[in-house]
Amino acid sequence: EKVGVSVPLYPAEHFYVITEPIENLSKTLPVIRDFDNSTYIKEDAGKILVGIFEGKSIPAFDKTSLVPEDFSFGEFPENFEHFEPYLASAIKRFPVLEKAGIRKFFAGPESFTPDTNTLLGEVPEIKNFFVSCGLNSIGIGSGGGVGKVTAEWLITGHINQDIFSYDIKRFQKFHSELGFIKKRITETLGDLYGMHWPFKQHKTSRNIKTLPYHDNLKSFGACFGVSGGYERPMWFALDGEKAEYEYSYNYQSWYPSAEYETNNTIKNVGLFDLTPFSKFEIKSDKAHKELQRICTANIKDEIGKCTYTHMLNSDGGIETDLTVVCIDKNYFRIISSAATRERDKFHINKHISKDVELKDVTDDYCVFGLFGPKSRDLIKTISKDNFDKSNFKFGTAKYITINGVKVWAQRLSYVGELGFELYVSINDAKKIYELLIEKGKDFNLSNCGMHAMDIMRMESGFLHWGHDISPEENQYQAGLSFTISNKKDVDFIGKQALEKIRKDKIKNRFAMFTLKESKPGEPLLLHDEPIYLEDKIIGRSTSGNYSFNFKKNLTFGYINSDLSDEELKNENLFIEVEKKKYPITIQTEALKRTDFKNL
């Protein structure tokens, strides 16, 4: 903090008791973790230690908030009232504890991160300042891996593994503010032993960043999740149902909403909120030259042109997944994932010339995704600009006027349908949203959430950074070599590594699969499930979802096989979930193939 580095860590009060010596207690007694009762029990020099990781913890130093400078190996007063229910459950599990006296009641600080994951890597504020902390009370178990990764990171300046969930740059400055982290610590200590439900959302420290039309979204039944710090609609409740998650490892309570939203988007028009996507701008006569040097594609230096591209590390690993848009002469906007805002900003700043300023404009604009076959008809009713396909081609952008408001419109689509991305000043966003809703009634417009977007991007075969691509993969493995320009005479970062990769045989490659028998949530496909050829594991999944439009369970992943995709069509392939193998079919093309150029 003293040197301006933001490290989101705060201590909670951690409790354990040590009994008096117990006769004939085996020194090889295994460590017991009772997740349902939030307790752990282990032998300790002939005694038993009982500790807790409770669901609602107590922030340490609650009165002063700040940890005192001279506090080292200190303890807090006993709080037996807080500890007693957990001790009672431990006694049920180990009856010997009922007669054992307590020699020591310990209460002391134990620090936790906002998501109960470690903090690793180079911080965004100071060059060559690395952290290796926030081990959340599991330092012994994770210490070996943390040491290995940190050493590699220090040596190379990057890491060729998918460990974004541990990178300190997944957090923003506000995550370290006491108002946020003190409340969050009451929840995250318990998350260590709590159920790691799919799609789980934190309950504490919410509504930090809300959209200008948050109340409008709420009135339409939005169930919010956090994305890039923003409260973002995940799905919209139907018929007055509760807009709350009912967590499950099988059928999801939000499936009916996702079915309606995805079906309506391909038939009519869906309105998606894209505001949390990271947005950066470069204005400089060196901007194009610098972008050419850090991007793999040939960045189009022509007003209104959009270029999908990647940025790599020196080993060819995919560091960022983004779109570069030329807004004006010497003026470019970079758009990337919501969750990777600090990480992407750090990577760009690390590699561009120091006299070129990168400006973060993420919070300056709200972005509406208007997608579906009726999206063009709808936008024509609210703007007098020309939206015909010959005048507004796919992959281009321009300023338009809606209700007297200047809006930057892009003909791009992450859901695989005709559509427009509308960049609106945050001050005008609420009235534009309300106009879209009002005029959209004539076109059966539906509000849509992020679950629907994720389903539709998978139907279209679009990959997602953090799931399907990361520094662990290169563009040839991921089937994204079309984003590599061999025409531009620029030695961009990672180019030499790519040339070596291109000459070698690709061992691990991206593939898409569908279950032969598909029902929603049977099974629930997520990621990291083993993929089999007969009885041999040949890969693992990276994304999973159920397509209601195609009635298919869909999964993406990487496989290692000498057989081609066509050959694998005739083989017995399986994906394993909960120790059960499900027959799958390899897809040589996406479920939905959209010819954007003719839309």
Side-chain angles (χ1 to χ4, degrees), residues 12-17 37-39 52-59 77-89 105-107 186 189:
E13 294 190 12
H14 181 51
F15 305 94
Y16 63 79
V17 298
N37 292 301
S38 306
T39 57
I52 62 172
F53 288 106
E54 69 275 32
K56 189 171 184 181
S57 61
I58 302 169
E78 294 181 3
N79 189 340
F80 197 76
E81 183 181 355
H82 183 82
F83 188 83
E84 189 175 21
Y86 303 99
L87 180 60
S89 67
F105 186 105
F106 174 83
T186 65
L189 180 142

PDB file of all heavy atoms in Angstrom, residues 12-17 37-39 52-59 77-89 105-107 186 189:
ATOM      1  N   ALA A  12      -9.490 -12.385   8.654  1.00  0.00           N
ATOM      2  CA  ALA A  12     -10.641 -12.718   9.486  1.00  0.00           C
ATOM      3  C   ALA A  12     -10.127 -13.339  10.784  1.00  0.00           C
ATOM      4  O   ALA A  12      -8.969 -13.739  10.876  1.00  0.00           O
ATOM      5  CB  ALA A  12     -11.548 -13.710   8.762  1.00  0.00           C
ATOM      6  N   GLU A  13     -10.983 -13.394  11.775  1.00  0.00           N
ATOM      7  CA  GLU A  13     -10.619 -14.091  13.006  1.00  0.00           C
ATOM      8  C   GLU A  13     -10.731 -15.592  12.757  1.00  0.00           C
ATOM      9  O   GLU A  13     -11.786 -16.076  12.333  1.00  0.00           O
ATOM     10  CB  GLU A  13     -11.527 -13.666  14.154  1.00  0.00           C
ATOM     11  CG  GLU A  13     -11.338 -12.212  14.549  1.00  0.00           C
ATOM     12  CD  GLU A  13     -12.063 -11.863  15.844  1.00  0.00           C
ATOM     13  OE1 GLU A  13     -12.511 -12.793  16.552  1.00  0.00           O
ATOM     14  OE2 GLU A  13     -12.187 -10.659  16.144  1.00  0.00           O
ATOM     15  N   HIS A  14      -9.643 -16.296  12.978  1.00  0.00           N
ATOM     16  CA  HIS A  14      -9.613 -17.746  12.776  1.00  0.00           C
ATOM     17  C   HIS A  14      -9.478 -18.429  14.140  1.00  0.00           C
ATOM     18  O   HIS A  14      -8.711 -17.985  14.984  1.00  0.00           O
ATOM     19  CB  HIS A  14      -8.440 -18.126  11.875  1.00  0.00           C
ATOM     20  CG  HIS A  14      -8.350 -19.589  11.597  1.00  0.00           C
ATOM     21  ND1 HIS A  14      -9.424 -20.329  11.152  1.00  0.00           N
ATOM     22  CD2 HIS A  14      -7.318 -20.465  11.710  1.00  0.00           C
ATOM     23  CE1 HIS A  14      -9.048 -21.589  10.996  1.00  0.00           C
ATOM     24  NE2 HIS A  14      -7.779 -21.698  11.340  1.00  0.00           N
ATOM     25  N   PHE A  15     -10.244 -19.509  14.306  1.00  0.00           N
ATOM     26  CA  PHE A  15     -10.340 -20.153  15.624  1.00  0.00           C
ATOM     27  C   PHE A  15      -9.952 -21.629  15.557  1.00  0.00           C
ATOM     28  O   PHE A  15     -10.305 -22.325  14.600  1.00  0.00           O
ATOM     29  CB  PHE A  15     -11.780 -20.068  16.164  1.00  0.00           C
ATOM     30  CG  PHE A  15     -12.327 -18.672  16.234  1.00  0.00           C
ATOM     31  CD1 PHE A  15     -13.084 -18.147  15.192  1.00  0.00           C
ATOM     32  CD2 PHE A  15     -12.098 -17.880  17.345  1.00  0.00           C
ATOM     33  CE1 PHE A  15     -13.595 -16.866  15.256  1.00  0.00           C
ATOM     34  CE2 PHE A  15     -12.605 -16.592  17.428  1.00  0.00           C
ATOM     35  CZ  PHE A  15     -13.345 -16.080  16.379  1.00  0.00           C
ATOM     36  N   TYR A  16      -9.266 -22.086  16.593  1.00  0.00           N
ATOM     37  CA  TYR A  16      -9.099 -23.519  16.813  1.00  0.00           C
ATOM     38  C   TYR A  16      -8.838 -23.768  18.301  1.00  0.00           C
ATOM     39  O   TYR A  16      -8.455 -22.846  19.042  1.00  0.00           O
ATOM     40  CB  TYR A  16      -7.990 -24.129  15.942  1.00  0.00           C
ATOM     41  CG  TYR A  16      -6.589 -23.624  16.159  1.00  0.00           C
ATOM     42  CD1 TYR A  16      -5.818 -24.076  17.247  1.00  0.00           C
ATOM     43  CD2 TYR A  16      -5.994 -22.748  15.249  1.00  0.00           C
ATOM     44  CE1 TYR A  16      -4.511 -23.641  17.424  1.00  0.00           C
ATOM     45  CE2 TYR A  16      -4.696 -22.320  15.425  1.00  0.00           C
ATOM     46  CZ  TYR A  16      -3.952 -22.758  16.515  1.00  0.00           C
ATOM     47  OH  TYR A  16      -2.664 -22.334  16.691  1.00  0.00           O
ATOM     48  N   VAL A  17      -9.090 -24.998  18.700  1.00  0.00           N
ATOM     49  CA  VAL A  17      -8.790 -25.403  20.080  1.00  0.00           C
ATOM     50  C   VAL A  17      -7.845 -26.598  20.043  1.00  0.00           C
ATOM     51  O   VAL A  17      -7.862 -27.387  19.095  1.00  0.00           O
ATOM     52  CB  VAL A  17     -10.057 -25.762  20.890  1.00  0.00           C
ATOM     53  CG1 VAL A  17     -10.984 -24.560  21.029  1.00  0.00           C
ATOM     54  CG2 VAL A  17     -10.794 -26.936  20.263  1.00  0.00           C
ATOM     55  N   ASN A  37     -19.753 -29.529   8.156  1.00  0.00           N
ATOM     56  CA  ASN A  37     -19.791 -28.849   9.451  1.00  0.00           C
ATOM     57  C   ASN A  37     -18.674 -27.818   9.620  1.00  0.00           C
ATOM     58  O   ASN A  37     -18.430 -27.323  10.720  1.00  0.00           O
ATOM     59  CB  ASN A  37     -19.720 -29.879  10.585  1.00  0.00           C
ATOM     60  CG  ASN A  37     -20.979 -30.723  10.655  1.00  0.00           C
ATOM     61  OD1 ASN A  37     -22.074 -30.198  10.828  1.00  0.00           O
ATOM     62  ND2 ASN A  37     -20.835 -32.029  10.486  1.00  0.00           N
ATOM     63  N   SER A  38     -17.968 -27.525   8.525  1.00  0.00           N
ATOM     64  CA  SER A  38     -16.958 -26.448   8.486  1.00  0.00           C
ATOM     65  C   SER A  38     -15.808 -26.656   9.470  1.00  0.00           C
ATOM     66  O   SER A  38     -15.234 -25.686   9.978  1.00  0.00           O
ATOM     67  CB  SER A  38     -17.625 -25.082   8.770  1.00  0.00           C
ATOM     68  OG  SER A  38     -18.695 -24.851   7.898  1.00  0.00           O
ATOM     69  N   THR A  39     -15.467 -27.912   9.764  1.00  0.00           N
ATOM     70  CA  THR A  39     -14.411 -28.173  10.751  1.00  0.00           C
ATOM     71  C   THR A  39     -13.282 -29.010  10.148  1.00  0.00           C
ATOM     72  O   THR A  39     -13.492 -29.757   9.189  1.00  0.00           O
ATOM     73  CB  THR A  39     -14.973 -28.929  11.972  1.00  0.00           C
ATOM     74  OG1 THR A  39     -15.581 -30.149  11.545  1.00  0.00           O
ATOM     75  CG2 THR A  39     -15.994 -28.093  12.718  1.00  0.00           C
ATOM     76  N   ILE A  52     -11.880 -24.342  12.545  1.00  0.00           N
ATOM     77  CA  ILE A  52     -13.097 -24.108  11.757  1.00  0.00           C
ATOM     78  C   ILE A  52     -12.833 -23.139  10.603  1.00  0.00           C
ATOM     79  O   ILE A  52     -11.981 -22.251  10.688  1.00  0.00           O
ATOM     80  CB  ILE A  52     -14.257 -23.580  12.632  1.00  0.00           C
ATOM     81  CG1 ILE A  52     -13.890 -22.221  13.277  1.00  0.00           C
ATOM     82  CG2 ILE A  52     -14.628 -24.588  13.696  1.00  0.00           C
ATOM     83  CD1 ILE A  52     -15.057 -21.560  14.003  1.00  0.00           C
ATOM     84  N   PHE A  53     -13.579 -23.346   9.523  1.00  0.00           N
ATOM     85  CA  PHE A  53     -13.684 -22.396   8.432  1.00  0.00           C
ATOM     86  C   PHE A  53     -15.171 -22.168   8.202  1.00  0.00           C
ATOM     87  O   PHE A  53     -15.788 -22.774   7.334  1.00  0.00           O
ATOM     88  CB  PHE A  53     -12.985 -22.916   7.171  1.00  0.00           C
ATOM     89  CG  PHE A  53     -11.499 -22.896   7.271  1.00  0.00           C
ATOM     90  CD1 PHE A  53     -10.784 -24.066   7.455  1.00  0.00           C
ATOM     91  CD2 PHE A  53     -10.814 -21.693   7.202  1.00  0.00           C
ATOM     92  CE1 PHE A  53      -9.403 -24.038   7.557  1.00  0.00           C
ATOM     93  CE2 PHE A  53      -9.435 -21.663   7.300  1.00  0.00           C
ATOM     94  CZ  PHE A  53      -8.719 -22.834   7.486  1.00  0.00           C
ATOM     95  N   GLU A  54     -15.722 -21.308   9.040  1.00  0.00           N
ATOM     96  CA  GLU A  54     -17.177 -21.138   9.119  1.00  0.00           C
ATOM     97  C   GLU A  54     -17.726 -20.263   8.003  1.00  0.00           C
ATOM     98  O   GLU A  54     -17.001 -19.452   7.418  1.00  0.00           O
ATOM     99  CB  GLU A  54     -17.575 -20.570  10.481  1.00  0.00           C
ATOM    100  CG  GLU A  54     -17.161 -19.135  10.735  1.00  0.00           C
ATOM    101  CD  GLU A  54     -15.746 -18.980  11.272  1.00  0.00           C
ATOM    102  OE1 GLU A  54     -14.866 -19.793  10.919  1.00  0.00           O
ATOM    103  OE2 GLU A  54     -15.515 -18.015  12.025  1.00  0.00           O
ATOM    104  N   GLY A  55     -19.019 -20.424   7.737  1.00  0.00           N
ATOM    105  CA  GLY A  55     -19.677 -19.720   6.634  1.00  0.00           C
ATOM    106  C   GLY A  55     -19.819 -18.232   6.834  1.00  0.00           C
ATOM    107  O   GLY A  55     -19.891 -17.471   5.869  1.00  0.00           O
ATOM    108  N   LYS A  56     -19.885 -17.785   8.088  1.00  0.00           N
ATOM    109  CA  LYS A  56     -19.955 -16.349   8.345  1.00  0.00           C
ATOM    110  C   LYS A  56     -18.889 -16.008   9.368  1.00  0.00           C
ATOM    111  O   LYS A  56     -19.066 -16.209  10.566  1.00  0.00           O
ATOM    112  CB  LYS A  56     -21.334 -15.922   8.842  1.00  0.00           C
ATOM    113  CG  LYS A  56     -21.480 -14.420   8.915  1.00  0.00           C
ATOM    114  CD  LYS A  56     -22.898 -13.977   9.184  1.00  0.00           C
ATOM    115  CE  LYS A  56     -22.993 -12.450   9.141  1.00  0.00           C
ATOM    116  NZ  LYS A  56     -24.360 -11.956   9.412  1.00  0.00           N
ATOM    117  N   SER A  57     -17.780 -15.501   8.875  1.00  0.00           N
ATOM    118  CA  SER A  57     -16.639 -15.237   9.746  1.00  0.00           C
ATOM    119  C   SER A  57     -16.675 -13.803  10.265  1.00  0.00           C
ATOM    120  O   SER A  57     -17.508 -12.989   9.860  1.00  0.00           O
ATOM    121  CB  SER A  57     -15.337 -15.507   9.004  1.00  0.00           C
ATOM    122  OG  SER A  57     -15.234 -14.654   7.887  1.00  0.00           O
ATOM    123  N   ILE A  58     -15.728 -13.496  11.139  1.00  0.00           N
ATOM    124  CA  ILE A  58     -15.660 -12.183  11.780  1.00  0.00           C
ATOM    125  C   ILE A  58     -14.430 -11.445  11.257  1.00  0.00           C
ATOM    126  O   ILE A  58     -13.310 -11.948  11.371  1.00  0.00           O
ATOM    127  CB  ILE A  58     -15.552 -12.334  13.311  1.00  0.00           C
ATOM    128  CG1 ILE A  58     -16.740 -13.133  13.860  1.00  0.00           C
ATOM    129  CG2 ILE A  58     -15.470 -10.969  13.990  1.00  0.00           C
ATOM    130  CD1 ILE A  58     -16.584 -13.550  15.308  1.00  0.00           C
ATOM    131  N   PRO A  59     -14.610 -10.259  10.674  1.00  0.00           N
ATOM    132  CA  PRO A  59     -13.429  -9.506  10.230  1.00  0.00           C
ATOM    133  C   PRO A  59     -12.530  -9.175  11.419  1.00  0.00           C
ATOM    134  O   PRO A  59     -13.017  -8.748  12.468  1.00  0.00           O
ATOM    135  CB  PRO A  59     -14.021  -8.238   9.620  1.00  0.00           C
ATOM    136  CG  PRO A  59     -15.453  -8.552   9.350  1.00  0.00           C
ATOM    137  CD  PRO A  59     -15.861  -9.552  10.379  1.00  0.00           C
ATOM    138  N   PRO A  77      -9.002 -11.976  21.893  1.00  0.00           N
ATOM    139  CA  PRO A  77      -9.701 -12.593  23.025  1.00  0.00           C
ATOM    140  C   PRO A  77     -10.511 -13.804  22.572  1.00  0.00           C
ATOM    141  O   PRO A  77     -10.953 -13.878  21.415  1.00  0.00           O
ATOM    142  CB  PRO A  77     -10.623 -11.470  23.507  1.00  0.00           C
ATOM    143  CG  PRO A  77     -10.018 -10.211  22.999  1.00  0.00           C
ATOM    144  CD  PRO A  77      -9.374 -10.563  21.702  1.00  0.00           C
ATOM    145  N   GLU A  78     -10.709 -14.756  23.483  1.00  0.00           N
ATOM    146  CA  GLU A  78     -11.501 -15.945  23.161  1.00  0.00           C
ATOM    147  C   GLU A  78     -12.929 -15.545  22.796  1.00  0.00           C
ATOM    148  O   GLU A  78     -13.486 -14.590  23.340  1.00  0.00           O
ATOM    149  CB  GLU A  78     -11.523 -16.901  24.356  1.00  0.00           C
ATOM    150  CG  GLU A  78     -10.171 -17.505  24.682  1.00  0.00           C
ATOM    151  CD  GLU A  78     -10.247 -18.471  25.858  1.00  0.00           C
ATOM    152  OE1 GLU A  78     -11.360 -18.707  26.369  1.00  0.00           O
ATOM    153  OE2 GLU A  78      -9.184 -18.976  26.270  1.00  0.00           O
ATOM    154  N   ASN A  79     -13.519 -16.313  21.881  1.00  0.00           N
ATOM    155  CA  ASN A  79     -14.923 -16.103  21.497  1.00  0.00           C
ATOM    156  C   ASN A  79     -15.582 -17.476  21.431  1.00  0.00           C
ATOM    157  O   ASN A  79     -15.868 -18.006  20.355  1.00  0.00           O
ATOM    158  CB  ASN A  79     -15.003 -15.384  20.148  1.00  0.00           C
ATOM    159  CG  ASN A  79     -16.419 -14.955  19.795  1.00  0.00           C
ATOM    160  OD1 ASN A  79     -17.393 -15.486  20.352  1.00  0.00           O
ATOM    161  ND2 ASN A  79     -16.549 -14.001  18.882  1.00  0.00           N
ATOM    162  N   PHE A  80     -15.777 -18.051  22.612  1.00  0.00           N
ATOM    163  CA  PHE A  80     -16.274 -19.417  22.671  1.00  0.00           C
ATOM    164  C   PHE A  80     -17.712 -19.533  22.165  1.00  0.00           C
ATOM    165  O   PHE A  80     -18.113 -20.555  21.606  1.00  0.00           O
ATOM    166  CB  PHE A  80     -16.185 -19.962  24.107  1.00  0.00           C
ATOM    167  CG  PHE A  80     -16.281 -21.457  24.178  1.00  0.00           C
ATOM    168  CD1 PHE A  80     -15.197 -22.257  23.813  1.00  0.00           C
ATOM    169  CD2 PHE A  80     -17.463 -22.083  24.566  1.00  0.00           C
ATOM    170  CE1 PHE A  80     -15.284 -23.630  23.856  1.00  0.00           C
ATOM    171  CE2 PHE A  80     -17.554 -23.469  24.609  1.00  0.00           C
ATOM    172  CZ  PHE A  80     -16.461 -24.237  24.251  1.00  0.00           C
ATOM    173  N   GLU A  81     -18.468 -18.461  22.317  1.00  0.00           N
ATOM    174  CA  GLU A  81     -19.865 -18.470  21.847  1.00  0.00           C
ATOM    175  C   GLU A  81     -19.917 -18.696  20.335  1.00  0.00           C
ATOM    176  O   GLU A  81     -20.776 -19.423  19.825  1.00  0.00           O
ATOM    177  CB  GLU A  81     -20.539 -17.146  22.213  1.00  0.00           C
ATOM    178  CG  GLU A  81     -22.015 -17.091  21.829  1.00  0.00           C
ATOM    179  CD  GLU A  81     -22.648 -15.757  22.181  1.00  0.00           C
ATOM    180  OE1 GLU A  81     -21.981 -14.908  22.813  1.00  0.00           O
ATOM    181  OE2 GLU A  81     -23.817 -15.556  21.804  1.00  0.00           O
ATOM    182  N   HIS A  82     -18.990 -18.068  19.620  1.00  0.00           N
ATOM    183  CA  HIS A  82     -18.927 -18.237  18.162  1.00  0.00           C
ATOM    184  C   HIS A  82     -18.461 -19.646  17.785  1.00  0.00           C
ATOM    185  O   HIS A  82     -18.934 -20.231  16.800  1.00  0.00           O
ATOM    186  CB  HIS A  82     -17.960 -17.193  17.583  1.00  0.00           C
ATOM    187  CG  HIS A  82     -17.856 -17.215  16.092  1.00  0.00           C
ATOM    188  ND1 HIS A  82     -18.770 -16.592  15.275  1.00  0.00           N
ATOM    189  CD2 HIS A  82     -16.940 -17.798  15.264  1.00  0.00           C
ATOM    190  CE1 HIS A  82     -18.426 -16.776  14.006  1.00  0.00           C
ATOM    191  NE2 HIS A  82     -17.313 -17.496  13.980  1.00  0.00           N
ATOM    192  N   PHE A  83     -17.556 -20.179  18.578  1.00  0.00           N
ATOM    193  CA  PHE A  83     -16.920 -21.460  18.251  1.00  0.00           C
ATOM    194  C   PHE A  83     -17.762 -22.672  18.672  1.00  0.00           C
ATOM    195  O   PHE A  83     -17.665 -23.752  18.061  1.00  0.00           O
ATOM    196  CB  PHE A  83     -15.553 -21.524  18.949  1.00  0.00           C
ATOM    197  CG  PHE A  83     -14.701 -22.705  18.555  1.00  0.00           C
ATOM    198  CD1 PHE A  83     -13.933 -22.677  17.402  1.00  0.00           C
ATOM    199  CD2 PHE A  83     -14.677 -23.862  19.331  1.00  0.00           C
ATOM    200  CE1 PHE A  83     -13.151 -23.760  17.030  1.00  0.00           C
ATOM    201  CE2 PHE A  83     -13.894 -24.945  18.970  1.00  0.00           C
ATOM    202  CZ  PHE A  83     -13.124 -24.888  17.820  1.00  0.00           C
ATOM    203  N   GLU A  84     -18.582 -22.507  19.698  1.00  0.00           N
ATOM    204  CA  GLU A  84     -19.242 -23.651  20.352  1.00  0.00           C
ATOM    205  C   GLU A  84     -20.062 -24.537  19.416  1.00  0.00           C
ATOM    206  O   GLU A  84     -19.974 -25.773  19.493  1.00  0.00           O
ATOM    207  CB  GLU A  84     -20.115 -23.151  21.514  1.00  0.00           C
ATOM    208  CG  GLU A  84     -20.664 -24.284  22.379  1.00  0.00           C
ATOM    209  CD  GLU A  84     -21.415 -23.768  23.589  1.00  0.00           C
ATOM    210  OE1 GLU A  84     -21.865 -22.603  23.583  1.00  0.00           O
ATOM    211  OE2 GLU A  84     -21.550 -24.544  24.558  1.00  0.00           O
ATOM    212  N   PRO A  85     -20.900 -23.998  18.501  1.00  0.00           N
ATOM    213  CA  PRO A  85     -21.684 -24.886  17.620  1.00  0.00           C
ATOM    214  C   PRO A  85     -20.812 -25.813  16.782  1.00  0.00           C
ATOM    215  O   PRO A  85     -21.200 -26.954  16.505  1.00  0.00           O
ATOM    216  CB  PRO A  85     -22.459 -23.905  16.732  1.00  0.00           C
ATOM    217  CG  PRO A  85     -22.469 -22.618  17.469  1.00  0.00           C
ATOM    218  CD  PRO A  85     -21.182 -22.569  18.235  1.00  0.00           C
ATOM    219  N   TYR A  86     -19.645 -25.337  16.377  1.00  0.00           N
ATOM    220  CA  TYR A  86     -18.758 -26.151  15.548  1.00  0.00           C
ATOM    221  C   TYR A  86     -18.053 -27.215  16.392  1.00  0.00           C
ATOM    222  O   TYR A  86     -17.819 -28.333  15.923  1.00  0.00           O
ATOM    223  CB  TYR A  86     -17.735 -25.243  14.841  1.00  0.00           C
ATOM    224  CG  TYR A  86     -18.403 -24.175  14.017  1.00  0.00           C
ATOM    225  CD1 TYR A  86     -18.553 -22.881  14.519  1.00  0.00           C
ATOM    226  CD2 TYR A  86     -18.925 -24.446  12.756  1.00  0.00           C
ATOM    227  CE1 TYR A  86     -19.196 -21.889  13.769  1.00  0.00           C
ATOM    228  CE2 TYR A  86     -19.553 -23.473  11.999  1.00  0.00           C
ATOM    229  CZ  TYR A  86     -19.687 -22.201  12.519  1.00  0.00           C
ATOM    230  OH  TYR A  86     -20.322 -21.232  11.780  1.00  0.00           O
ATOM    231  N   LEU A  87     -17.733 -26.867  17.610  1.00  0.00           N
ATOM    232  CA  LEU A  87     -17.150 -27.855  18.517  1.00  0.00           C
ATOM    233  C   LEU A  87     -18.151 -28.971  18.795  1.00  0.00           C
ATOM    234  O   LEU A  87     -17.786 -30.153  18.853  1.00  0.00           O
ATOM    235  CB  LEU A  87     -16.719 -27.194  19.828  1.00  0.00           C
ATOM    236  CG  LEU A  87     -16.081 -28.114  20.871  1.00  0.00           C
ATOM    237  CD1 LEU A  87     -14.822 -28.772  20.303  1.00  0.00           C
ATOM    238  CD2 LEU A  87     -15.749 -27.346  22.148  1.00  0.00           C
ATOM    239  N   ALA A  88     -19.428 -28.600  18.922  1.00  0.00           N
ATOM    240  CA  ALA A  88     -20.474 -29.603  19.166  1.00  0.00           C
ATOM    241  C   ALA A  88     -20.552 -30.588  18.007  1.00  0.00           C
ATOM    242  O   ALA A  88     -20.703 -31.802  18.207  1.00  0.00           O
ATOM    243  CB  ALA A  88     -21.818 -28.911  19.363  1.00  0.00           C
ATOM    244  N   SER A  89     -20.431 -30.100  16.784  1.00  0.00           N
ATOM    245  CA  SER A  89     -20.475 -31.007  15.625  1.00  0.00           C
ATOM    246  C   SER A  89     -19.230 -31.882  15.577  1.00  0.00           C
ATOM    247  O   SER A  89     -19.289 -33.045  15.162  1.00  0.00           O
ATOM    248  CB  SER A  89     -20.613 -30.207  14.324  1.00  0.00           C
ATOM    249  OG  SER A  89     -19.456 -29.450  14.071  1.00  0.00           O
ATOM    250  N   PHE A 105      -7.273 -22.321  23.631  1.00  0.00           N
ATOM    251  CA  PHE A 105      -8.256 -21.762  22.695  1.00  0.00           C
ATOM    252  C   PHE A 105      -7.555 -20.648  21.935  1.00  0.00           C
ATOM    253  O   PHE A 105      -7.148 -19.650  22.525  1.00  0.00           O
ATOM    254  CB  PHE A 105      -9.466 -21.200  23.444  1.00  0.00           C
ATOM    255  CG  PHE A 105     -10.583 -20.747  22.536  1.00  0.00           C
ATOM    256  CD1 PHE A 105     -11.736 -21.512  22.396  1.00  0.00           C
ATOM    257  CD2 PHE A 105     -10.482 -19.578  21.797  1.00  0.00           C
ATOM    258  CE1 PHE A 105     -12.768 -21.099  21.548  1.00  0.00           C
ATOM    259  CE2 PHE A 105     -11.493 -19.168  20.941  1.00  0.00           C
ATOM    260  CZ  PHE A 105     -12.640 -19.941  20.828  1.00  0.00           C
ATOM    261  N   PHE A 106      -7.385 -20.838  20.631  1.00  0.00           N
ATOM    262  CA  PHE A 106      -6.669 -19.861  19.824  1.00  0.00           C
ATOM    263  C   PHE A 106      -7.631 -19.045  18.977  1.00  0.00           C
ATOM    264  O   PHE A 106      -8.532 -19.586  18.324  1.00  0.00           O
ATOM    265  CB  PHE A 106      -5.664 -20.554  18.893  1.00  0.00           C
ATOM    266  CG  PHE A 106      -4.995 -19.601  17.941  1.00  0.00           C
ATOM    267  CD1 PHE A 106      -3.894 -18.861  18.332  1.00  0.00           C
ATOM    268  CD2 PHE A 106      -5.475 -19.419  16.645  1.00  0.00           C
ATOM    269  CE1 PHE A 106      -3.278 -17.963  17.463  1.00  0.00           C
ATOM    270  CE2 PHE A 106      -4.873 -18.534  15.764  1.00  0.00           C
ATOM    271  CZ  PHE A 106      -3.768 -17.802  16.185  1.00  0.00           C
ATOM    272  N   ALA A 107      -7.423 -17.735  18.984  1.00  0.00           N
ATOM    273  CA  ALA A 107      -8.130 -16.827  18.078  1.00  0.00           C
ATOM    274  C   ALA A 107      -7.101 -15.846  17.528  1.00  0.00           C
ATOM    275  O   ALA A 107      -6.483 -15.097  18.287  1.00  0.00           O
ATOM    276  CB  ALA A 107      -9.245 -16.088  18.805  1.00  0.00           C
ATOM    277  N   THR A 186     -16.202 -11.929   5.333  1.00  0.00           N
ATOM    278  CA  THR A 186     -17.162 -12.697   6.137  1.00  0.00           C
ATOM    279  C   THR A 186     -17.683 -13.912   5.378  1.00  0.00           C
ATOM    280  O   THR A 186     -18.213 -14.838   5.969  1.00  0.00           O
ATOM    281  CB  THR A 186     -18.359 -11.822   6.559  1.00  0.00           C
ATOM    282  OG1 THR A 186     -19.087 -11.423   5.390  1.00  0.00           O
ATOM    283  CG2 THR A 186     -17.893 -10.582   7.319  1.00  0.00           C
ATOM    284  N   LEU A 189     -13.840 -16.784   3.735  1.00  0.00           N
ATOM    285  CA  LEU A 189     -13.225 -17.784   4.603  1.00  0.00           C
ATOM    286  C   LEU A 189     -14.051 -19.070   4.577  1.00  0.00           C
ATOM    287  O   LEU A 189     -13.522 -20.170   4.438  1.00  0.00           O
ATOM    288  CB  LEU A 189     -13.098 -17.254   6.030  1.00  0.00           C
ATOM    289  CG  LEU A 189     -12.473 -18.195   7.059  1.00  0.00           C
ATOM    290  CD1 LEU A 189     -11.581 -17.433   8.025  1.00  0.00           C
ATOM    291  CD2 LEU A 189     -13.545 -18.940   7.851  1.00  0.00           C
TER     292      LEU A 189
END
